[in-house]
Amino acid sequence: MNTKKFLLPESELPTHWYNVVADLPNRPLPPLNPQTKEPITPQELEAILPPELIKQELSTERYIEIPEPVREKYRIYRPSPLIRAFELEKALKTDCKIYYKYEGQSPSGSHKPNTAIAQAYFNKIAGTRKITTETGAGQWGTALSYACAQFDIECEVYMVRVSYDQKPYRKILMNTFGATVYPSPSERTQSGRNFLKQNPQTNGTLGMAISEAIEMAVQSEDTKYSLGSVLNHTLLHQTIIGQEALKQMDLAQDYPDVVIAPLGGGSNFAGLAFPFLRENLTQKKNTRFVAVEPASCPKLTQGKFMYDFGDTQGFTPLLPMYTLGHNFEPSAIHAGGLRYHGASVLCSQLLRDQLIEAKAVDQIECFEAGTLFAKTEGIIPAPESNHAIAQVLREVQNARLEGQSKTILFNLSGHGFVDMMAYSDYQNGKLSTHTLDPKTLETSLAEIQALQPPALV
Amino acid sequence: MNTKKFLLPESELPTHWYNVVADLPNRPLPPLNPQTKEPITPQELEAILPPELIKQELSTERYIEIPEPVREKYRIYRPSPLIRAFELEKALKTDCKIYYKYEGQSPSGSHKPNTAIAQAYFNKIAGTRKITTETGAGQWGTALSYACAQFDIECEVYMVRVSYDQKPYRKILMNTFGATVYPSPSERTQSGRNFLKQNPQTNGTLGMAISEAIEMAVQSEDTKYSLGSVLNHTLLHQTIIGQEALKQMDLAQDYPDVVIAPLGGGSNFAGLAFPFLRENLTQKKNTRFVAVEPASCPKLTQGKFMYDFGDTQGFTPLLPMYTLGHNFEPSAIHAGGLRYHGASVLCSQLLRDQLIEAKAVDQIECFEAGTLFAKTEGIIPAPESNHAIAQVLREVQNARLEGQSKTILFNLSGHGFVDMMAYSDYQNGKLSTHTLDPKTLETSLAEIQALQPPALV
């Protein structure tokens, strides 16, 4: 009887997060102050982040210890299982071995609590009373709502308006965990009022919601801001996924030839990939890493590597990243949390250095893959996760054409129980193939040309 | 560091189901043919069930082997975790130890696949091409849809109309697993047309949906019918829950003073309780067993022990059970799958013999308990499961009043990600306290008086 689920006992929960910065052949360019175009200082981040997270954001240490109170909360749902996709393999009639790390058993149903819990804790010990944040599809807002409930912190969420209207279940989830949720752009902030003035009918974007959440945070001493992805420390916290997976691949007496994960801001991908990437960089392993993005929000495959803001209003430092421009508005596709205009600094640097690959997939291909996965493996994947599964099917097809077998590992970052309307749209033929208008992209990128520091222009 | 989650490896998956009939001090009365009032014969069940399930339905053997293909499918999500509710205990400031067996990590998000997979398998080997069934809140229909997909059987679900309209996510889930779903009563069956003629505006009931599903099944040789609870074999299959939990309580070096589970038809309760009940009956253990039902559908606490049909049209054998009458229509409460008029024969017999207790709880108390559980333990409970949690809180309160500590084990039978509208209604003050009108109950029970066999009248 072959083992299907490789489980770690709680005693095997990793004690440290892994910081890939320590092992990069090329350090990323620094974040810049938008006014001076000089590298930002830790002090400049104090209005929005607590001290420990600022330290982590700028750290070059290889391993950072996970505090015991955070490990205690992790144990509510971790270690997460590594699962061999026997049923999917059978359906595909493939010799490839397919494994997935399943993050959907967490309180919010995705990998997001891995950083939400850490961020809530480091805020708590710094005396933060309230945290503001943004959320798109709602995965991140749900995770932070739960984490704040655990550490008795108030939580205020700005939710992209189109999601707020179309995904009532996500809002109720956040309310159940005790958070307050506002559709963004809102009338509560100056940024929100600006966005509404420019376009009263706007669907909202993650960039706009970030602006609102930051604006609220900087106004009060004991309120801080929290981001669910993109920043170094969010990627750092997610590496618990890959560190567990390394141990579990050992249990399976196997090792991945290719590691696949969706990429929105980068924390989903980084979480699984970075600990395996370290094995490439330091142990001469030869694994391929594939970040998968939606065809209609393709920063890695069609964006440019430039300095850009993380938000729409321009409150964040300038970050060196693959971007579509911070004013880019993706069309209303079912890509869950992957509708963000830029990729994290670390993932962008890795792509520049060709240490990872990027692929874009269309939403119909994603839901076709996700439906097959549900029928076989018995888990309804989140729309984000469907992007990884679609790429897995492509890898299997390539292996067949090349007459090879390979070991594939992917991040099943969450379940889709709260995203069933997207499956319904797929089943009813309401999804269309979205492509990116080159003119839109050109305009959007032209708008950020002026932000570049002299050295990059 | 205290262990939170007690996990069993797949090699510890039980090899047999436990049949409580073998250990009962009093065997239940037999099911009767409604015409002759004589005990039914196995042959009379052949139109709706495959041979192996008929054998199990009537079996008095203590242990029944789980076929290897069923165990293989169980391994997709089993063994399920036993979890110590440390966070809830802390919030309640109690000395009681609270454990829960969590069945929400299954493909459909509840305990239902435990019998759906077994039933699909025994149908498959008997040559069944298509299975019809009913579903109320949708948990059972989802489970059977998945199980049928695993064994390549067509699945047709009659879903109580009010749920069909109010719970679109459940229908989409079933469609995603490949099933066809009709609102019940429908125009597809003679029973459905009868019900609609009597009341074109009816919300539907489980009893009506069962009638429709049975009517479709008996019309064709290779179509069978499947029930998600009530019948002996469905309870039998669920005992895998309690058998795992026995091993896991051993791992925790503890033993429950009280075992609590929701009761709709009985499979949820039986699944966890029966293996522990065996320890009472054969090992002189002294555990209390509490079945929890909604105050607005209180068959155990306010119903009568009588012979009654399992469905509304009168297609099933007459079953000796606690019932509210097969024409009873519960008000539109958020009790998930607990809105059934009767309790299984086995659970009814146990209550008659005072081997178990029954409690009824109101829906507002349930959602209050469920919300506290979500904020602390990080799992949004299904509305069904909230009934068990409400009773846990009562037990904790009683223990406090009595100055005692006790060990509590309950069945967290499923998650509530697909039931968020019920939480929204709770948060928005839209839930009311429902009580049962005594007149309605009197009328409903009077209607079944004529069904009783001479010996019971």
Side-chain angles (χ1 to χ4, degrees), chain B residues 257-402:
Chain B
D257 298 308
V258 52
V259 170
I260 297 169
L263 190 141
S267 78
N268 187 327
F269 174 79
L272 181 62
F274 284 5
F276 286 91
L277 185 65
R278 171 165 158 73
E279 303 294 303
N280 271 25
L281 295 172
T282 66
Q283 307 293 321
K284 300 193 194 290
K285 291 279 189 187
N286 240 324
T287 300
R288 287 169 52 226
F289 298 91
V290 186
V292 193
E293 60 185 8
S296 47
C297 194
K299 52 240 168 192
L300 296 177
T301 54
Q302 293 191 54
K304 281 246 167 85
F305 184 83
M306 295 173 83
Y307 268 97
D308 195 5
F309 287 115
D311 70 317
T312 307
Q313 188 70 40
F315 287 146
T316 69
L318 287 169
L319 301 171
M321 59 183 184
Y322 281 92
T323 180
L324 299 163
H326 63 267
N327 284 320
F328 179 82
E329 287 196 34
S331 54
I333 46 152
H334 288 299
L338 307 184
R339 297 157 45 84
Y340 183 67
H341 68 273
S344 68
V345 171
L346 290 173
C347 292
S348 295
Q349 184 63 42
L350 287 166
L351 185 62
R352 267 187 108 189
D353 290 340
Q354 299 182 300
L355 293 169
I356 65 172
E357 306 166 32
K359 301 284 179 194
V361 289
D362 182 75
Q363 61 176 350
I364 295 178
E365 183 181 345
C366 288
F367 279 92
E368 198 176 300
T371 300
L372 175 64
F373 189 85
K375 280 188 185 170
T376 51
E377 291 295 312
I379 299 172
I380 306 272
E384 294 89 338
S385 310
N386 283 343
H387 290 72
I389 301 170
Q391 181 61 28
V392 169
L393 301 197
R394 289 180 178 189
E395 296 281 344
V396 165
Q397 179 62 10
N398 288 344
R400 182 173 294 134
L401 293 174
E402 293 161 8

Side-chain angles (χ1 to χ4, degrees), chain B residues 157-172:
Chain B
V157 182
Y158 291 84
M159 184 172 190
V160 174
R161 182 174 292 274
V162 63
S163 296
Y164 184 94
D165 292 338
Q166 289 177 357
K167 303 196 165 194
Y169 277 37
R170 276 288 169 198
K171 175 183 170 291
I172 305 165

Side-chain angles (χ1 to χ4, degrees), chain A residues 116 120 123 128-135 138-158 171 173-182 188 213 216 222-226, chain B residues 375:
Chain A
N123 269 289
T128 304
R129 196 186 52 76
K130 175 170 162 178
I131 299 179
T132 63
T133 197
E134 75 292 333
T135 199
Q139 288 277 21
W140 166 243
T142 313
L144 190 68
S145 302
Y146 172 71
C148 284
Q150 287 287 309
F151 290 104
D152 199 19
I153 299 172
E154 211 179 304
C155 183
E156 185 171 298
V157 183
Y158 292 84
K171 174 182 172 291
L173 267 170
M174 292 184 257
N175 291 153
T176 303
F177 288 139
T180 313
V181 187
Y182 300 102
R188 291 173 55 81
M216 289 306 285
D222 59 0
T223 300
K224 297 291 176 203
Y225 164 73
S226 172
Chain B
K375 280 188 185 170

